Amino acid sequence: MPRRDDISTIMVLGSGPIVIGQAGEFDYSGTQGARALREEGYRVVLVNSNPATIMTDPSVADRTYVEPLDVESVEAIIELERPDALLPTLGGQTALNLAMDLSAAGVLERFGVELIGADVAAIRRAEDREVFRDTMAAAGLAVPENRVVSDMEAGRRAVAELGLPVILRPGFTLGGEGGGAAHTPEEFESMLEKALAASPISQVLIDRSLVGWAEIELEVVRDTADNAVIVCSIENIDPMGVHTGDSVTVAPVMTLTDPELQRLRDAAIAVIRAVGVSTGGANVQFALDRASGEMVVIEMNPRVSRSSALASKATGFPIAKIAARLAVGYTLDELPNEITGVTPASFEPSLDYVAVKIPRFAFEKVPGASSELTTHMKSVGEVLALGRTFGEAFGKAMSGRELDVRPRTPRDGAEALEILRTPSWDRYDVILWALANGVGEEAVREATHIDPWFLSQLGALAAARTAVGGSLDALDATALRTARRAGVVDRDIAVATGATELQVGERRRALGVRPTYHAVDTCAAEFEALTPYYYAGFEETIAPRSSSSARAPTGSGRGSSSTTAASTPPRRSATSAMRR
C-alpha cells in the first residue's frame, strides 16, 4: 500500500540523556528514522532533551526542540507545531513512557495526534506485566510461572508460593532498572521495595527463577499487511540471570538445532501479532531449557531497542529506517533492501560471518557499586566485532574494549572457579585464564552454566594464545595467520612473545599476513551488494569475484560478495543463517 497522505507533520521523541542502560543506540535509531521520514516528504518535529546527540543536529529534522521530555513541555510543543502523528518507538523506553503519559493526560486526543508505530493498546499489552502475561496465555505461549504485585504484602505472598530464588521485573522500566534476582527473604524484601519504586505504575512481575537457562533474542519486523520477518537471531552466551545488555551475545545463533530455532521463530511472530505491533520492529526474548526443551517468553519490547541497533549493525538491515517507513503505511515487500538494491525488505537477512557483542563496564568510576551482573543492566557501552569464525569475532571484540583497569588474575584454578560462580565484568578474561591454566571445560561449565560449544571455542582461543608464546622471530606467516584467524590479535601476540604491538605488526606485514575484507551484504552473497560495508579477516587472498556476477560461481558454495578473500563459512549450527 502507498504511503499515508492524510498526515503531513510527524513528531519524533528522543530518549533524553545518555544513562546506563540507554546510550547512543537510540540516537542512532532516532536519527535514522527521522531522516527516512523526511525523505518520504513528511515534516518532522523532533523533541529531545539532550543536545549532545546527532539526532538534535539541525539537519536531521525540520524543527528541533531541546526541551525536557515531560508532558508539560511536549504538550506546549504539540500546541505550537500541531503534528498529525507521534512516533514514539525510536526513542527507547523514555519516549514510549512519555507517549503513554501524553495519552493518559488527554493531550493526544485534545490535539488530534495519532500514535503511529505502536498504539496505546499495543504498548500496554507489551509493557504492563500482567496484561502481557495474559496476552501470551491467550496466544497459547508459555511464560515463566509468576505473580504480579503492587505492594509489599502481595510480594511476600507471591514469594511464599513461588519459592526462592525469584527474578523481579518492574513494569515500564529501562534496562531492568530496579530488578534483579533475590535468593534470600531479606534480599527479596530490599529488592522488592526498590523495584516498586522504580516502576512508574508501582508494578513488579515476580518470576520463578530460570537462572541457567539459555537466553535467545529475535528481532522481528511486521507491517500492516501482516508480513513479518526475523531480522536477526541473537544468542546470549551468558545464561539467564544476566541482563542481555550485560551479556556477551552472538549473531546468528550458534548452538540451537533447526527445530528449536524454528519454534522460536514461529513464537516470535506470534508474540508480535498478539501484542499488536503492526508497523515496525520489536525485540522478543526467550528462555530455553536445553535439557528438557521447554521454552518460555520472557518479555517483548514494542519498539526499536538497544538490541535492534545491534542487529542493524550486525546484519546491515536498517531496522529503524524500515520501521519508520512501515509506520507511515508502506509494507515490507514495497521497500527495497538498501544494501542489495534488488531484493525487498521482506527478504530475511542471511549471514556468512559471525557477530559478537561484548559489553563495556566502568565500575571504577562508581565507587561502592556492586560489580555483580544481574537482570539490572550496568554496562556503559559495548563493542561489536565481525569475523569469519566465532573465535575471530570474539577475540576482536575482547581487544576493542579499551579497558581502564586490568582484569583479575586468579592465584590458581580453585580461585578462578570461585570467581566465575558470580557473573562479573571480567568473567571472560577469567574463563580464558582458567582454560589456559589447566581448568577443565566441564568445571567451568558447572560454575557458569555456559553452553559446552562456546566453552570449546573459548578453549581453542586460549590454546591459540598459548601457541604463539616464545620468540616473535620464530613465528612464520602460517603461524601468524593461523593465530589471527583464531582470534589472537597483535596485542595478544606481543604479550605472549615479549615484543611490542608495533613489532608484531611490522613482522606480520613483512611476511605478507595482511587483513582481507569481506562485505556485510545481508544476503550471504546470494545477490550483488550495491552499498556494502566491510569487516576484516585473515583469509588466504584470491582474485576478487567479478562485480558483474550476481551469484557465486556454481559449485563454489557461498562466497562473500565484493571481497578479496576466500569465504570459508564460520563454524555454526546448520540453521544459524536464517532460511527464507
Side-chain angles (χ1 to χ4, degrees):
M1 60 188 297
R3 67 186 285 281
R4 291 181 58 176
D5 293 326
D6 59 328
I7 56 178
S8 59
T9 299
I10 300 174
M11 174 176 282
V12 175
L13 298 177
S15 61
I18 292 175
V19 297
I20 293 175
Q22 178 173 280
E25 59 269 5
F26 296 108
D27 180 35
Y28 167 85
S29 297
T31 301
Q32 264 197 10
R35 285 176 171 167
L37 293 174
R38 293 189 75 194
E39 288 171 5
E40 293 297 331
Y42 294 101
R43 179 172 177 267
V44 174
V45 176
L46 191 146
V47 185
N48 197 349
S49 62
N50 184 4
T53 68
I54 297 299
M55 184 190 291
T56 50
D57 186 280
S59 66
V60 173
D62 295 280
R63 293 296 296 274
T64 299
Y65 288 86
V66 182
E67 298 289 343
L69 289 170
D70 56 33
V71 171
E72 183 180 7
S73 298
V74 176
E75 180 180 6
I77 297 169
I78 289 175
E79 184 175 12
L80 180 65
E81 295 289 345
R82 296 302 174 108
D84 303 296
L86 172 65
L87 182 60
T89 55
L90 302 177
Q93 195 67 42
T94 299
L96 212 60
N97 288 351
L98 178 54
M100 294 293 284
D101 292 341
L102 288 166
S103 176
V107 174
L108 302 185
E109 182 179 6
R110 185 159 58 252
F111 291 100
V113 181
E114 178 186 354
L115 270 184
I116 58 176
D119 59 23
V120 169
I123 295 171
R124 185 164 298 282
R125 280 191 291 268
E127 296 291 337
D128 186 300
R129 300 296 188 177
E130 188 169 12
V131 176
F132 180 73
R133 181 188 63 188
D134 295 342
T135 301
M136 294 301 97
L141 297 168
V143 296
E145 184 182 0
N146 56 46
R147 303 289 186 275
V148 178
V149 305
S150 298
D151 56 58
M152 190 65 71
E153 187 56 39
R156 294 189 184 104
R157 290 195 301 268
V159 79
E161 295 170 0
L162 294 172
L164 291 168
V166 293
I167 303 294
L168 286 76
R169 301 181 186 278
F172 287 89
T173 60
L174 173 75
E177 181 185 357
H183 298 84
T184 66
E186 295 76 20
E187 192 175 31
F188 172 77
E189 296 259 340
S190 173
M191 293 184 66
L192 180 58
E193 184 177 0
K194 294 176 182 177
L196 289 168
S199 171
I201 60 173
S202 297
Q203 183 195 74
V204 178
L205 182 72
I206 302 177
D207 276 343
R208 171 172 66 95
S209 176
L210 302 178
V211 171
W213 288 32
E215 184 170 3
I216 312 292
E217 301 173 72
L218 270 68
E219 291 294 324
V220 195
V221 173
R222 181 176 179 239
D223 64 22
T224 53
D226 199 26
N227 300 308
V229 296
I230 304 298
V231 175
C232 188
S233 60
I234 304 173
E235 183 169 6
N236 288 244
I237 301 179
D238 292 287
M240 287 290 296
V242 176
H243 189 280
T244 182
D246 289 347
S247 177
V248 175
T249 61
V250 56
V253 295
M254 298 281 109
T255 67
L256 300 188
T257 64
D258 182 66
E260 288 172 335
L261 185 58
Q262 295 309 322
R263 280 179 63 207
L264 291 174
R265 184 186 188 281
D266 293 344
I269 293 174
V271 170
I272 197 172
R273 285 172 174 161
V275 169
V277 176
S278 59
T279 56
N283 169 263
V284 187
Q285 298 174 21
F286 298 92
L288 178 68
D289 183 357
R290 298 184 188 275
S292 67
E294 183 181 354
M295 177 195 75
V296 296
V297 183
I298 299 301
E299 64 180 4
M300 182 259 214
N301 292 309
R303 55 176 170 81
V304 175
S305 66
R306 177 198 52 77
S307 293
S308 302
L310 171 68
S312 292
K313 294 173 183 176
T315 64
F317 188 101
I319 294 176
K321 189 178 294 187
I322 297 295
R325 288 193 164 100
L326 295 179
V328 295
Y330 287 104
T331 55
L332 285 162
D333 56 308
E334 293 175 328
L335 297 175
N337 181 323
E338 298 185 6
I339 299 294
T340 67
V342 295
T343 59
S346 54
F347 272 48
E348 293 183 349
S350 183
L351 311 185
D352 57 358
Y353 53 86
V354 179
V356 173
K357 179 269 291 183
I358 294 181
R360 189 184 187 283
F361 300 91
F363 289 112
E364 70 278 2
K365 294 181 172 63
V366 190
S370 170
S371 61
E372 178 182 356
L373 304 184
T374 68
T375 59
H376 180 185
M377 184 174 170
K378 298 179 179 179
S379 68
V380 297
E382 56 194 28
V383 178
L384 176 68
L386 309 184
R388 304 301 292 158
T389 66
F390 169 79
E392 183 176 63
F394 184 89
K396 289 166 66 175
M398 287 286 282
S399 70
R401 292 174 296 168
E402 299 181 346
L403 298 178
D404 293 328
V405 294
R406 292 179 61 84
R408 288 169 289 182
T409 301
R411 292 189 300 271
D412 52 32
E415 184 181 36
L417 292 174
E418 185 60 32
I419 291 173
L420 292 175
R421 289 188 179 93
T422 302
S424 58
W425 72 271
D426 58 352
R427 159 180 265 193
Y428 288 89
D429 299 281
V430 176
I431 288 175
L432 289 171
W433 182 95
L435 295 174
N437 286 272
V439 179
E441 291 177 12
E442 179 60 26
V444 175
R445 188 196 68 78
E446 290 178 358
T448 63
H449 301 289
I450 293 174
D451 186 79
W453 188 85
F454 288 117
L455 291 178
S456 72
Q457 297 297 301
L458 296 177
L461 174 56
R465 286 183 175 181
T466 301
V468 296
S471 170
L472 177 60
D473 293 336
L475 299 177
D476 59 16
T478 299
L480 288 170
R481 181 174 288 109
T482 299
R484 289 306 309 256
R485 291 183 65 179
V488 184
V489 300
D490 286 0
R491 187 182 309 145
D492 298 327
I493 299 172
V495 171
T497 59
T500 65
E501 190 173 349
L502 177 62
Q503 290 171 329
V504 173
E506 289 175 343
R507 176 163 179 78
R508 178 173 52 73
R509 288 185 289 272
L511 294 173
V513 181
R514 294 175 177 271
T516 54
Y517 294 92
H518 311 264
V520 175
D521 60 10
T522 81
C523 63
E526 293 185 43
F527 300 92
E528 190 71 19
L530 303 181
T531 56
Y533 57 99
Y534 297 86
Y535 65 94
F538 278 86
E539 303 290 309
E540 295 283 354
T541 57
I542 59 172
R545 181 160 57 87
S546 169
S547 61
S548 63
S549 172
R551 291 181 180 270
T554 302
S556 67
R558 285 186 173 181
S560 180
S561 63
S562 304
T563 183
T564 60
S567 55
T568 305
R571 180 179 178 181
R572 53 189 174 174
S573 67
T575 58
S576 59
M578 282 293 184
R579 305 300 187 194
R580 287 179 286 276

